[in-house]
Amino acid sequence: MRFLAKFTFICNCCFLLILGGQFLELYSSGFDLSGKANVNPVMAVMLILFFISVFVNFLFTGIVFYGMLFRRKYNIPRWIIFINFLILFVQLFYFFL
């Protein structure tokens, strides 16, 4: 469970970095959508983590809430659970609305 928590946190960090980068790129270009993006290998990995982050975060949050329902104790800091839960709302808004 600790591995999933760490992996989810890394995916969420990539999500926030890519989301911020998209906004900064659009803002600096005057919201012109005709330009092409340069993607290097590190950025490609971050883009993959960006797209799978919502599914990994949903899985993690579901497991944590299932554990809370049956009073299981996980050895995970509460701030990671809280941050992942908050970012899940941002991800659901970004991808599905």
Side-chain angles (χ1 to χ4, degrees):
M1 187 67 185
R2 288 185 62 96
F3 174 76
L4 183 62
K6 291 176 184 178
F7 183 66
T8 305
F9 187 71
I10 291 170
C11 287
N12 287 336
C13 288
C14 289
F15 173 80
L16 293 176
L17 285 172
I18 296 290
L19 193 64
Q22 285 177 347
F23 178 75
L24 288 176
E25 187 176 333
L26 280 175
Y27 183 73
S28 66
S29 68
F31 294 98
D32 181 25
L33 299 175
S34 63
K36 291 215 174 214
N38 295 329
V39 179
N40 57 19
V42 174
M43 191 69 150
V45 170
M46 288 180 66
L47 281 171
I48 292 169
L49 291 176
F50 172 78
F51 286 114
I52 67 167
S53 65
V54 67
F55 302 111
V56 173
N57 199 4
F58 189 72
L59 175 71
F60 173 76
T61 307
I63 290 172
V64 167
F65 281 131
Y66 181 78
M68 286 180 172
L69 185 66
F70 291 107
R71 308 264 191 239
R72 287 194 63 173
K73 296 286 184 180
Y74 295 117
N75 193 14
I76 303 169
R78 292 197 187 272
W79 66 269
I80 289 180
I81 296 170
F82 183 71
I83 294 294
N84 287 338
F85 185 69
L86 288 178
I87 294 175
L88 180 65
F89 283 121
V90 175
Q91 290 170 338
L92 291 175
F93 180 76
Y94 179 79
F95 282 117
F96 299 114
L97 291 181

